[in-house]
Amino acid sequence: MKNRITVTVAGHDFTIVSEESEVYVRGIGAEVDRDIQAVMTEAHLSLSDAAVLAALNSADRARKAIDSADHLRLQVKTYLDETQKLKAELAESRRELSRVKKQV
């Protein structure tokens, strides 16, 4: 079910239609508002320039988060592959130990 949620960003109301919860959408709206307000305060820019810079900052954070998640996935895959190799070595060691015990 789609929700219609009104959020205020930089003094302007926007109605968002989303399947996400109202709390989530309002949180995103508040985050965007904070980002734009911070850029406007720091650089004394117009609303449109501040919105573009805030969007660039947000895209930068998103890209870094995606890169970080990709790196973590690669690490997990490496660890899983190493675990599989070690399990195979353990199984082989157990078989060898069993053979040695039978010979003794």
Side-chain angles (χ1 to χ4, degrees):
M1 182 173 78
K2 293 193 177 192
N3 300 311
R4 296 178 62 82
I5 302 132
T6 301
V7 296
T8 302
V9 176
H12 298 277
D13 290 338
F14 297 90
T15 300
I16 309 297
V17 178
S18 175
E19 292 182 2
E20 300 294 341
S21 73
E22 181 174 347
V23 170
Y24 177 82
V25 173
R26 288 194 186 280
I28 294 296
E31 183 178 334
V32 170
D33 184 55
R34 280 190 304 273
D35 289 350
I36 291 173
Q37 295 298 335
V39 171
M40 288 177 68
T41 300
E42 292 173 16
H44 305 290
L45 297 173
S46 69
L47 175 58
S48 60
D49 288 346
V52 169
L53 286 178
L56 288 169
N57 289 338
S58 181
D60 177 54
R61 286 191 309 269
R63 175 62 55 111
K64 286 177 180 174
I66 289 168
D67 290 347
S68 179
D70 288 345
H71 178 71
L72 289 172
R73 279 188 205 91
L74 182 59
Q75 277 186 310
V76 167
K77 183 186 180 316
T78 300
Y79 294 150
L80 290 174
D81 291 346
E82 188 175 319
T83 300
Q84 286 302 109
K85 180 181 171 190
L86 290 171
K87 282 181 179 180
E89 289 176 10
L90 177 60
E92 179 59 31
S93 295
R94 285 181 174 162
R95 284 191 295 275
E96 182 65 24
L97 179 60
S98 179
R99 279 194 296 268
V100 169
K101 283 182 178 179
K102 287 179 183 177
Q103 291 175 356
V104 175

